Amino acid sequence: MPIKDTPRPYPLIDADPHFGRVMRYLRPSDYAAWAGIGAAGPALLYAFERYDPTRPRHGLGPALRLTAFLSFFGGFFYAYQNSSFRFMGLKENEAEVKKDLAELSARAKAGKPVYGETDLSDYLQGVAARNSTWSQLKLHAMPWFNLVNHNQHGVDVSKYGAKSE
């Protein structure tokens, strides 16, 4: 089943980007947001505790550690989602379009599969694609990443100089 064609404000790079590609395409602003969100949680908890102390029995350490853990992953999800949105054409993605064209054209010229090698049957590739496509919109509810190389990305691979899969 083909991926539904939806209007996007920017060019579609990949409707279901692989986790590794999303992480490689993070911008410095994504890392800054990740670090900022990761640091903001414990800092806010500490500030609130200074302003209106609760005097926890075991001290503030356990609460700060939990808040740091949650803030770290909250910042990661935010950065990952921003990068995914650029792949999906939902945010400005000019730099990613150029990088994608260069990277996947080089893979096609080398005779490698554009979206990576896989041992899965076409059916299982479709299952993997259906399970992870649009999952970036729900990272806050259920973190789900595309960890499978499959051939269903909603993009015509002939632009990379590869045969249609």
Side-chain angles (χ1 to χ4, degrees):
M1 180 184 338
I3 295 171
K4 180 181 177 185
D5 189 25
T6 56
R8 302 163 197 271
Y10 300 99
L12 172 67
I13 299 172
D14 191 338
D16 187 23
H18 190 275
F19 180 84
R21 287 189 74 207
V22 173
M23 295 304 293
R24 281 196 318 269
Y25 282 61
L26 286 176
R27 291 180 177 179
S29 62
D30 295 328
Y31 286 111
W34 185 356
I37 292 170
L44 285 171
L45 177 66
Y46 186 76
F48 291 151
E49 187 62 28
R50 297 285 295 173
Y51 176 72
D52 187 16
T54 58
R55 295 176 189 80
R57 185 179 350 168
H58 300 290
L60 197 55
L64 281 173
R65 284 191 293 276
L66 176 63
T67 305
F69 175 81
L70 294 174
S71 298
F72 174 83
F73 282 102
F76 166 74
F77 290 150
Y78 181 78
Y80 185 90
Q81 192 172 48
N82 274 345
S83 184
S84 295
F85 283 177
R86 287 191 293 272
F87 273 99
M88 297 163 66
L90 302 175
K91 288 192 171 194
E92 183 279 317
N93 62 0
E94 185 179 343
E96 286 78 7
V97 168
K98 292 176 185 173
K99 188 174 177 180
D100 171 72
L101 185 61
E103 178 185 352
L104 297 189
S105 295
R107 285 188 63 85
K109 285 179 186 166
K112 297 179 180 176
V114 175
Y115 289 110
E117 309 225 353
T118 184
D119 294 330
L120 297 178
S121 67
D122 287 340
Y123 171 75
L124 287 178
Q125 289 182 48
V127 170
R130 287 187 296 276
N131 283 333
S132 60
T133 301
W134 298 108
S135 65
Q136 296 87 349
L137 298 175
K138 289 283 193 177
L139 281 179
H140 65 284
M142 182 174 175
W144 194 283
F145 307 101
N146 175 17
L147 301 173
V148 175
N149 290 327
H150 58 75
N151 58 6
Q152 300 179 18
H153 293 270
V155 177
D156 181 16
V157 295
S158 64
K159 72 180 182 181
Y160 305 119
K163 296 177 189 167
S164 292
E165 297 174 357

